[in-house]
């Protein structure tokens, strides 16, 4: 029956030892261990949560980027179209302006040609007039002397005039 | 020469394959001395397996390893006794070995008794034995080991912080701690588990380290001692009681059953307050004692057969050693299982006392 009757010594020593070990371990072992384990676990959970959050953010960013890209592409197309139109317009404007200038220059040139032609004609007429008067003067002077001479003289004069 | 080698071989076999075989063998009541001699067909009549087993299982005032010839290889431990009449007395058990009387005290089959001048036992003096017996010494050593291990591990946690991976022995302790937390405390105690974690962990490791160290051949059977389990059971009894709520008591004294059944159920429920820790006490005690007895029995078989004939003893020894090794593995498993069961059931009982209504149905 010694087996089933607890010895008072062991009872007391076990109780004392248990309490001491309990308080020592509670203060110096379980507290830091459990705290660290908890900290680590919450850290991991937080990390996973934040990773998920970042993933979601990345996805939304990607969507945003795509939308932006599409918008930019549209804008670019519109800009190109506009630029083309502007350049076309500028080109046609320039052409038109050049044509007008050309017409004006041509008209000016024609006017001045006409004017110079008229001036030249007038001068020619005046010259011919004065030549006729000179020839007539010379003819009148030789007529008195010789008929034949007169004629040859006139021919000579006419020759000079022709040469002129 | 051959005789001596056989003898020493058996000694080796003893210490390796089995536990402490003989504990407090005294010259005057054990003429056969130790088992190895009993096996050597010297004094066959003196070989008493039952007594040897009991001596192995029970507490003692010395660490007795083996006996070579007439000299006992043992470490005597300090004796501390108190009685109203004589006060406190502290001396080494070595003074009392072989039945000698020292300072008016004598060892009667391992138990310290007070004797008068004539050497007669004084029945009137009730002696309280607070000796550092081998169970106490072994338990204290185991607990020092446990404390050192845990504080070292905790130091690693403190140093490393939450962001370093566990290393070394930390890896062995951490899964056990998380197991106690996630599979024992959390399912049974719910949100309040943190409050009970230090207690549950202490109980678990307290039992575990004593179980494991008790398996080392030559050591005492601490967890298989009723005093040890009584203390743990009583502590868990108080923890359970301090965790109770109004609901729990209402359930015990006013269970939700028809009137006449109450008269049957109330005593049953009231008894259950005490049966729970009692079950814990007996379960741990019986399991550990049984394991130790089985291992000792298997080793003892060699000598029982050896007592019949030397050939039978030698012939049976491989079988016996094989069985012992097998049981040893089971005992290592049991060491963990019993620590777990004690902790888990304590957690279950605490959980019941906290919730009452939800768990009473499972009785």
């Amino acid at each position: 029956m010694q087996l089933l009757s607890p010895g008072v010594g062991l009872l007391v020593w076990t109780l004392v030892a248990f309490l001491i070990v309990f308080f020592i371990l509670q203060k110096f072992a379980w507290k830091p261990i459990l705290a660290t384990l908890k900290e680590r676990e919450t850290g991991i959970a937080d990390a996973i949560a934040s990773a998920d959050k970042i993933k979601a953010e990345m996805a939304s960013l990607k969507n945003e980027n795509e939308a932006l890209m599409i918008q930019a592409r549209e804008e670019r197309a519109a800009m190109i179209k506009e630029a083309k139109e502007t350049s076309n317009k500028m080109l046609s404007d320039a052409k038109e302006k050049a044509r007008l200038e050309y017409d004006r220059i041509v008209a000016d040139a024609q006017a001045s040609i006409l004017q110079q032609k008229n001036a030249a004609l007038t001068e020619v007429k005046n010259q011919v007039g004065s030549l006729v008067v000179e020839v007539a003067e010379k003819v009148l002077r030789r007529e008195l002397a010789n008929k034949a001479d007169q004629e040859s003289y006139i021919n000579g004069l006419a020759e000079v005039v022709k040469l002129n | 020469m051959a005789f001596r080698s056989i003898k020493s071989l058996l000694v080796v076999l003893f210490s390796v394959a089995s536990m402490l075989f003989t504990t407090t063998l005294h010259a005057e009541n054990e003429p056969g001395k130790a088992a190895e001699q009993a096996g050597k067909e010297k004094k066959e009549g003196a070989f008493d397996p039952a007594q040897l087993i009991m001596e192995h299982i029970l507490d003692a005032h010395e660490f007795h390893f083996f006996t070579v010839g007439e000299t006992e290889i043992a470490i005597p431990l300090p004796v501390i006794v108190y009685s109203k009449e004589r006060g406190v007395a502290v001396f080494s058990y070595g003074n009392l070995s072989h039945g000698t009387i020292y300072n008016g005290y004598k060892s009667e089959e391992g138990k310290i008794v007070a004797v008068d001048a004539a050497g007669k036992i004084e029945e009137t003096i009730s002696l309280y034995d607070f000796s550092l017996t081998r169970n106490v010494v072994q338990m204290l050593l185991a607990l020092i080991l446990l404390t050192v291990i845990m504080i070292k591990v905790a130091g690693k946690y403190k140093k490393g912080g939450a962001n370093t991976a566990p290393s070394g022995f930390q890896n062995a302790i951490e899964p056990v701690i998380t197991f106690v937390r996630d599979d024992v405390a959390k399912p049974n105690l719910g949100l309040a588990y943190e409050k009970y974690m230090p207690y549950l962990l202490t109980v678990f490791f307290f039992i575990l380290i004593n179980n494991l160290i008790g398996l080392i051949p030559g050591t005492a059977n601490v967890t298989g001692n009723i005093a040890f389990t009584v203390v743990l059971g009583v502590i868990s009894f108080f923890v359970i009681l301090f965790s109770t709520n109004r609901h729990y008591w209402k359930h015990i004294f006013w269970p939700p059953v028809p009137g006449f059944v109450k008269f049957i159920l109330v005593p049953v429920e009231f008894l259950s307050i005490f049966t729970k820790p009692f079950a814990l006490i007996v379960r741990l005690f019986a399991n550990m004692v049984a394991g130790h007895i089985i291992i000792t029995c298997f080793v003892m078989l060699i000598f029982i057969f050896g007592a019949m004939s030397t050939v039978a003893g030698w012939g049976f020894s491989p079988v016996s050693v094989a069985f012992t090794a097998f049981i040893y593995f089971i005992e290592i498993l049991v060491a963990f299982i019993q620590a777990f069961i004690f902790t888990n059931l304590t957690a279950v009982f605490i959980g019941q006392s906290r919730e009452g209504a939800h768990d009473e149905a499972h009785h």
Side-chain angles (χ1 to χ4, degrees), chain A residues 98-161:
Chain A
R99 204 178 53 79
L100 287 173
E101 188 75 0
Y102 165 79
D103 285 354
R104 194 181 57 81
I105 289 167
V106 168
D108 279 5
Q110 274 174 347
S112 98
I113 287 167
L114 196 68
Q115 196 191 356
Q116 278 176 14
K117 195 183 90 185
N118 288 343
L121 276 176
T122 317
E123 205 181 314
V124 168
K125 274 176 191 164
N126 291 342
Q127 199 113 24
V128 169
S130 68
L131 277 173
V132 168
V133 171
E134 205 176 317
V135 170
E137 193 186 286
K138 281 177 182 165
V139 168
L140 284 174
R141 266 184 206 152
R142 286 238 8 207
E143 217 176 61
L144 298 162
N146 193 340
K147 190 125 177 151
D149 280 352
Q150 200 179 357
E151 274 181 5
S152 74
Y153 184 63
I154 291 168
N155 281 345
L157 284 174
E159 201 83 6
V160 173
V161 172

Side-chain angles (χ1 to χ4, degrees), chain B residues 14-15 19-20 25 34 48 132 149 189 261 301 346:
Chain B
F14 252 34
S15 26
M19 331 216 70
L20 181 64
L25 291 178
D48 181 1
L132 296 173
I149 288 173
L189 303 172
V261 188
L301 275 178
T346 307

Side-chain angles (χ1 to χ4, degrees), chain A residues 2-15 17-18 21-22 24-26 28-30 32-34 36-41, chain B residues 57-58 129-132 136 139 143 147 150 154 157 161-162 174 177 181 194 197-199 201-202 205 225-228 231-232 235 285:
Chain A
Q2 209 190 331
L3 189 64
L4 289 175
S5 49
V8 64
L10 189 55
L11 274 177
V12 171
W13 286 114
T14 310
L15 183 64
F18 182 88
V21 166
F22 174 71
I24 290 178
L25 288 186
Q26 184 189 31
F28 297 108
W30 308 139
I33 291 175
L34 290 172
T36 316
L37 283 178
K38 200 171 180 192
E39 198 186 326
R40 189 196 293 161
E41 269 157 31
Chain B
I57 299 298
L58 291 175
D129 189 353
F130 295 104
S131 307
L132 296 173
V136 175
M139 180 182 72
L143 293 180
T147 316
M150 286 307 169
Y157 278 99
E174 189 175 314
I177 292 173
R181 188 192 57 187
E194 271 179 48
M197 274 308 284
Y199 167 68
L201 283 172
T202 311
F205 282 105
N225 192 296
I226 191 89
F228 179 88
V231 170
L232 289 181
I235 291 170
F285 161 71

Side-chain angles (χ1 to χ4, degrees), chain B residues 277-319:
Chain B
F278 185 74
L280 288 177
I281 292 168
V282 174
R283 182 181 295 108
L284 180 60
F285 161 71
N287 270 290
M288 295 325 289
V289 164
H292 283 236
I293 288 178
I294 289 172
I295 289 176
T296 325
C297 278
F298 274 120
V299 178
M300 216 69 85
L301 275 178
I302 300 174
F303 301 98
I304 293 169
F305 279 103
M308 294 175 190
S309 80
T310 322
V311 181
W314 278 107
F316 193 73
S317 58
V319 182

Side-chain angles (χ1 to χ4, degrees), chain B residues 129-182:
Chain B
D129 189 353
F130 295 104
S131 307
L132 296 173
T133 60
R134 62 179 185 142
N135 274 348
V136 175
V137 170
Q138 190 187 310
M139 180 182 72
L140 295 179
L141 290 176
L143 293 180
I144 288 169
L145 181 69
L146 176 70
T147 316
V148 168
I149 288 173
M150 286 307 169
I151 286 177
K152 271 197 159 177
V153 168
K156 270 190 170 178
Y157 278 99
K158 272 189 214 156
K159 217 174 92 188
N163 294 324
T164 36
S167 63
F169 207 66
Q170 210 181 346
N171 274 323
I173 299 297
E174 189 175 314
V176 183
I177 292 173
T178 49
F179 172 76
V180 171
R181 188 192 57 187
D182 297 338

